[in-house]
């Protein structure tokens, strides 16, 4: 790592990734659509993004040489409003993954009833090996490359894996230069002084926390004495661990890309917060690290994967020793694994519900930018909690009405809105 990035960002902990995320998205979509009795054309239309752009970004590296990076932006569906979704910087980014993540964002915005469709962007790069100057040039180059298809009323980016508020600030600045006017609503997850929102940085973790509180009530599993394992100690995982610790919940395990820490009596989270680096690595600095896979096999009440996709697979699903999984990451559990976990009676709060706090507060940020009037921390938190509770209970009701799991129920809710809007616009018939 040449220079540390300023904020902590999501840390990947890739160990297995057998599934193709686009196929996973399409299969789940198909299943949800079958419950709605929509004709095949609805699936044919929604299985792929409406628009997909591939760009090549030349960046001058610190050694004077030009390196060309590949980037993508997928816009899944804009029938309900502009599209919305983060940009990830990661060496494993693929076109399929970006397309799937854009589809997931459409469903997520439908589930939380936001006036957006879904989008996602990605650049194949390893920010851990790049300097701040190189990252700045790459961020600006990406905005120049996609500027024609994004904008405050077209498609609004945000942070995702390995991107943060500083990167959003550079991207905003580049966009403002291209358009020649100030447009804070172009991007969310910005620093506060550039029109960011109170509570955005912690929004995903807060949203996961509200889901945990609802599930504890639903399953009559008291928060006091509850044992939780969090896989991933980036932005989402670390803030979440802190919230849980201060609520008296025992965080017995945490992990990062290099290893994991486990203590059945509960880890000292404030100490880990001090020792972690800007990429969420903590396991190497204290205690005796175990592997991510070993951590998955430890006993806990709630397991929260909060890093990358495809980590709970058919290979390890039988070995998990938890009662509940809350998917804080996008797509951490493969379809095959979900089948096994459903059979084992392990309750899963799906990603599109559990981690939607981020996009919900991004929406609040965009509203504030459009109004030019900024809300208090308290108001943001209250509105976020309302949204999370409303979405959770609506999805739960659908799950009960259709006799399906929470993931399919969330898809049913999410797809209904996009399909209906697409029908009313005359794009599809049913
Ligand atoms: N990247 C986040 C997500 O996957 C946030 C997206 C946003 O705020 O637009 O939900």
């Amino acid at each position: 790592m040449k220079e540390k990035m300023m904020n902590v960002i999501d840390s990947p902990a890739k160990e297995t990734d057998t599934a193709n995320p686009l196929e996973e998205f399409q299969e789940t979509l198909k299943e949800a659509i079958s419950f709605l009795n929509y004709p095949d054309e609805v699936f044919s239309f929604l299985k792929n993004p409406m628009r997909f752009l591939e760009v090549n970004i030349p960046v001058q590296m610190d050694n004077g040489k030009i390196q060309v990076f590949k980037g993508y932006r997928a816009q899944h569906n804009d029938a309900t409003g502009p599209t919305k979704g983060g940009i990830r910087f990661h060496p494993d980014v693929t076109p399929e993954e970006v397309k799937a993540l854009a589809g997931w964002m459409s469903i997520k915005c439908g589930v939380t009833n936001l006036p957006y469709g879904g989008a996602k962007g990605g650049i194949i790069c390893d920010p851990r090996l790049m300097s701040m100057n190189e990252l700045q040039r790459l961020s600006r180059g990406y905005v120049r490359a996609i500027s024609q298809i994004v904008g405050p009323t077209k498609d609004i980016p945000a942070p995702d894996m390995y991107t943060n508020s500083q990167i959003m600030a550079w991207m905003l600045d580049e966009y403002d230069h291209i358009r020649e006017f100030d447009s804070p609503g172009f991007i969310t997850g910005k620093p506060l002084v550039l029109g960011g929102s109170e509570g955005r940085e912690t929004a995903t973790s807060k949203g996961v926390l509200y889901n945990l509180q609802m599930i504890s009530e639903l399953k009559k599993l008291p928060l006091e004495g509850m044992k939780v394992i969090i896989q991933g100690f980036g932005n989402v995982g670390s803030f979440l661990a802190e919230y849980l610790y201060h609520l008296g919940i025992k965080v017995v395990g945490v992990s990062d890309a290099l290893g994991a820490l486990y203590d059945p009596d509960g880890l000292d989270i404030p100490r880990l917060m001090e020792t972690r680096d800007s990429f969420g690595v903590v396991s190497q600095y204290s205690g005796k690290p175990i592997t991510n896979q070993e951590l998955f096999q430890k006993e806990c009440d709630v397991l929260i994967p909060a890093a990358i996709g495809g980590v709970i697979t058919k290979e390890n699903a039988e070995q998990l020793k938890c009662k509940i999984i809350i998917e804080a990451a996008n797509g951490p559990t493969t379809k095959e694994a979900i089948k096994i976990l459903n059979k084992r009676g392990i309750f899963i709060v799906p990603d599109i519900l559990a981690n939607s706090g981020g996009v919900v507060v991004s929406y609040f940020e965009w509203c504030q930018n459009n109004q030019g009037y900024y809300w208090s921390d308290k108001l943001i938190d209250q509105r976020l909690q309302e949204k999370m509770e409303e979405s959770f209970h609506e999805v739960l009701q659908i799950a009960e009405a259709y006799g399906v799991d929470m993931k399919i129920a969330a898809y049913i809710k999410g797809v209904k809105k996009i399909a209906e809007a697409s029908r009313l616009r005359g794009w599809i018939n049913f």
Side-chain angles (χ1 to χ4, degrees):
M1 200 188 307
K2 287 189 185 170
E3 233 176 282
K4 282 188 175 182
M5 289 192 62
M6 289 166 195
N7 297 359
V8 171
I9 28 195
D10 292 349
S11 70
K14 202 171 185 78
E15 296 221 332
T16 51
D17 194 359
T18 49
N20 173 336
L22 186 59
E23 278 170 20
E24 296 253 325
F25 165 70
Q26 292 175 340
E27 279 170 32
T28 317
L29 182 73
K30 196 169 197 163
E31 207 176 328
I33 285 178
S34 73
F35 284 100
L36 292 164
N37 291 319
Y38 290 156
D40 288 349
E41 66 190 66
V42 177
F43 175 69
S44 305
F45 177 51
L46 296 178
K47 69 179 184 184
N48 285 308
M50 292 178 70
R51 197 170 292 110
F52 182 73
L53 183 65
E54 177 179 318
V55 296
N56 289 299
I57 313 154
V59 175
Q60 183 167 27
M61 305 306 277
D62 291 346
N63 63 8
K65 295 219 170 87
I66 300 288
Q67 192 173 331
V68 181
F69 292 87
K70 206 166 266 306
Y72 308 99
R73 185 76 184 165
Q75 297 172 344
H76 179 258
N77 186 287
D78 59 9
T80 51
T83 48
K84 181 91 191 79
I87 298 167
R88 60 175 52 183
F89 283 11
H90 197 272
D92 298 329
V93 164
T94 64
E96 283 71 30
E97 183 195 47
V98 175
K99 288 179 189 178
L101 286 160
W104 282 330
M105 285 307 298
S106 273
I107 305 289
K108 210 185 280 187
C109 294
V111 164
T112 44
N113 204 13
L114 304 181
Y116 296 135
K120 199 68 143 206
I123 301 178
I124 305 172
C125 66
D126 193 341
R128 291 166 294 193
L129 306 175
M130 295 171 73
S131 72
M132 293 296 278
N133 284 333
E134 289 167 343
L135 280 171
Q136 177 168 180
R137 289 192 285 267
L138 178 62
S139 304
R140 290 180 183 276
Y142 179 69
V143 171
R144 286 195 298 276
I146 64 162
S147 68
Q148 287 177 350
I149 65 159
V150 289
T153 54
K154 272 190 191 174
D155 178 14
I156 307 134
D160 197 80
M161 195 181 283
Y162 278 170
T163 52
N164 60 11
S165 59
Q166 175 60 77
I167 291 175
M168 299 304 109
W170 291 325
M171 290 188 171
L172 173 72
D173 188 62
E174 193 63 29
Y175 187 80
D176 283 353
H177 277 290
I178 295 168
R179 293 281 175 255
E180 294 187 335
F181 54 74
D182 189 43
S183 48
F186 154 64
I187 203 160
T188 60
K190 301 177 290 289
L192 273 181
V193 290
L194 294 180
S197 176
E198 293 287 351
R200 176 60 186 86
E201 213 185 358
T202 51
T204 311
S205 318
K206 271 268 169 76
V208 176
L209 173 67
Y210 295 139
N211 274 282
L212 180 70
Q213 286 169 337
M214 287 183 281
I215 204 81
S216 105
E217 230 171 81
L218 183 78
K219 297 283 168 197
K220 312 246 173 308
L221 201 71
L223 291 175
E224 224 188 287
M226 183 185 270
K227 288 188 173 183
V228 177
I229 289 179
I230 303 174
Q231 186 239 355
F233 209 64
N235 193 9
V236 179
S238 62
F239 285 127
L240 179 64
E242 233 183 352
Y243 290 141
L244 300 186
Y245 178 85
H246 291 299
L247 281 173
I249 295 171
K250 271 189 188 157
V251 181
V252 294
V254 298
S255 75
D256 55 50
L258 306 177
L261 296 173
Y262 173 75
D263 182 342
D265 297 323
L267 294 161
D268 182 353
I269 300 299
R271 196 175 61 81
L272 296 185
M273 293 295 281
E274 273 168 28
T275 54
R276 72 172 175 180
D277 70 17
S278 59
F279 288 92
V281 172
V282 72
S283 63
Q284 311 304 301
Y285 309 131
S286 42
K288 267 199 205 125
I290 56 173
T291 67
N292 269 269
Q293 285 310 324
E294 281 166 341
L295 184 66
F296 274 142
Q297 292 168 26
K298 298 285 182 195
E299 208 165 310
C300 64
D301 296 301
V302 183
L303 173 64
I304 306 181
I308 57 153
V311 289
I312 302 176
T313 62
K314 61 177 189 306
E315 279 78 35
N316 61 12
E318 287 289 1
Q319 285 114 51
L320 301 189
K321 293 191 187 69
C322 59
K323 300 182 182 108
I324 291 159
I325 293 175
I326 303 183
E327 294 184 325
N330 284 313
T333 320
T334 66
K335 250 185 118 33
E336 286 302 312
I338 292 176
K339 276 187 210 155
I340 298 170
L341 297 165
N342 281 345
K343 254 192 221 145
R344 293 187 55 206
I346 296 176
F347 191 90
I348 306 172
V349 184
D351 48 3
I352 40 183
L353 191 60
N355 71 23
S356 59
V359 71
V360 166
V361 178
S362 271
Y363 166 61
F364 296 162
E365 181 174 332
W366 182 74
C367 292
Q368 294 169 81
N369 296 148
N370 293 343
Q371 290 177 318
Y373 179 74
Y374 288 81
W375 313 349
S376 69
D377 203 358
K378 210 170 142 208
L379 187 60
I380 300 275
D381 204 31
Q382 180 194 325
R383 290 187 171 164
L384 170 64
Q385 187 164 8
E386 269 167 27
K387 265 264 178 247
M388 299 309 291
E389 291 183 355
E390 202 179 274
S391 312
F392 183 89
H393 288 114
E394 282 172 10
V395 171
L396 191 63
Q397 259 174 13
I398 295 174
E400 282 162 5
Y402 285 86
V404 294
D405 64 31
M406 292 285 275
K407 180 152 272 183
I408 299 293
Y411 267 66
I412 291 176
K413 180 167 193 281
V415 78
K416 228 172 161 174
K417 191 176 169 193
I418 322 163
E420 182 76 1
S422 301
R423 182 182 68 79
L424 287 165
R425 284 180 182 271
W427 297 350
I428 45 176
N429 291 315
F430 59 89

